[in-house]
């Protein structure tokens, strides 16, 4: 069975400093991996996705994630945090025999990012 | 940018009542889903729907739950007799399939009293 572990439930950074949100996954197959962000009282917005193409994936708002198969990791990074980045971030794996597409998503527990002035 | 639209944004209902949560997926998407997030817990898969039938459902999705795509645009989740533990945020999602991501709606917060 596939699973996702987000290693930090809360991360606090100062504005302008780097962000690192850690995610490890377990998958029997070649996974599709996603990062979603949820701002307070808002829906889930796709930040970026990995579907077996380039291992370094660039997303919106300056976020990146690197797929490392040997470490079964898909950590999310941003060089310089902005106040508007404060939100809940979810690492997600697609429970799929095939990359991408149409099978259910399995969510991590989430990491709440706080950004201080 | 196309959106998945969910209504209502918040619904309060009495225990034992039926509720219908509504979603309008993106028009060219083929696969539809419902997820829920109980306060303080993970987002959980409920059901997936393709070609007018359920393709997969979780153990949460028991006989009290049903889904429909009545008119080719709306996608509904019905809970026949709500329980207190059904209180959660319910998210609808859709995808065209392939290597595309999933687009989520803003959610319906269901409160059962």
């Amino acid at each position: 069975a596939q699973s996702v572990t987000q290693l930090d439930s809360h991360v606090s950074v100062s504005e302008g400093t780097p962000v690192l949100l850690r995610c490890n996954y377990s998958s029997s197959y070649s996974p599709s991996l996603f990062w979603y962000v949820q701002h307070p009282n808002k829906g889930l917005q796709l930040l970026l996705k990995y579907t077996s193409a380039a291992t370094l994936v660039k997303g919106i708002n300056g976020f990146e994630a690197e797929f490392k198969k040997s470490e079964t990791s898909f950590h999310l990074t941003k060089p310089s945090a902005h106040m508007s980045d404060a939100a809940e971030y979810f690492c997600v794996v697609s429970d799929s025999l095939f990359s991408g597409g149409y099978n259910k998503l399995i969510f991590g527990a989430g990491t709440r990012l706080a950004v201080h002035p | 940018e196309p959106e998945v639209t969910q209504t209502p944004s918040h619904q309060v209902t009495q225990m034992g009542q039926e509720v219908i949560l509504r979603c309008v997926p993106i028009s060219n998407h083929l696969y539809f889903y419902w997820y829920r997030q109980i306060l303080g817990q993970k987002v959980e898969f409920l059901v997936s729907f393709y070609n007018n039938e359920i393709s997969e459902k979780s153990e949460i999705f028991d006989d009290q739950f049903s889904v429909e795509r009545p008119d080719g645009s709306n996608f509904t989740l019905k809970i026949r007799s709500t329980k207190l533990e059904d209180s959660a945020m319910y998210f609808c999602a859709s995808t065209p399939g392939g290597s595309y991501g999933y687009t989520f709606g803003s959610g319906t917060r269901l409160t059962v009293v």
Side-chain angles (χ1 to χ4, degrees), chain B residues 39-55:
Chain B
L39 189 63
Q41 297 186 23
K42 285 186 181 185
V43 177
E44 303 171 288
F45 167 77
L46 290 179
V47 65
S48 58
F49 191 86
Y50 170 71
N51 201 24
N52 285 320
E53 62 183 22
I54 290 173
S55 48

Side-chain angles (χ1 to χ4, degrees), chain B residues 2-70:
Chain B
E3 291 183 342
V4 173
T5 304
Q6 288 187 245
T7 55
S9 57
H10 191 185
Q11 178 148 4
V12 181
T13 189
Q14 289 200 326
M15 191 167 53
Q17 295 296 304
E18 175 183 285
V19 295
I20 297 176
L21 309 183
R22 302 181 191 279
C23 170
V24 179
I26 295 172
S27 61
N28 64 342
H29 285 191
L30 301 175
Y31 304 89
F32 314 111
Y33 308 82
W34 285 100
Y35 289 81
R36 79 172 185 190
Q37 184 182 29
I38 295 172
L39 189 63
Q41 297 186 23
K42 285 186 181 185
V43 177
E44 303 171 288
F45 167 77
L46 290 179
V47 65
S48 58
F49 191 86
Y50 170 71
N51 201 24
N52 285 320
E53 62 183 22
I54 290 173
S55 48
E56 188 175 358
K57 59 184 180 180
S58 73
E59 59 189 24
I60 302 168
F61 195 89
D62 61 21
D63 291 345
Q64 292 300 309
F65 291 86
S66 62
V67 288
E68 248 190 345
R69 189 160 159 79

Side-chain angles (χ1 to χ4, degrees), chain A residues 34-113:
Chain A
F34 308 82
W35 276 97
Y36 280 85
V37 61
Q38 184 180 29
H39 288 93
N41 300 313
K42 299 287 187 183
L44 295 159
Q45 182 184 19
L46 179 66
L47 276 179
L48 49 79
K49 65 183 190 292
Y50 165 79
T51 55
S52 77
T55 56
L56 181 62
V57 181
K58 294 186 184 299
I60 62 172
N61 301 334
F63 285 95
E64 292 184 349
E66 186 171 8
F67 173 70
K68 291 187 176 180
K69 187 174 182 179
S70 60
E71 298 176 11
T72 61
S73 69
F74 190 59
H75 301 333
L76 182 70
T77 60
K78 183 173 180 177
S80 175
H82 192 272
M83 295 295 289
S84 61
D85 294 328
E88 185 97 17
Y89 291 79
F90 294 95
C91 183
V92 182
V93 63
S94 173
D95 177 23
S96 172
L97 186 60
F98 310 100
S99 289
Y102 53 86
N103 289 316
K104 68 176 186 276
L105 302 178
I106 297 168
F107 282 73
T111 297
R112 184 165 297 278
L113 175 66

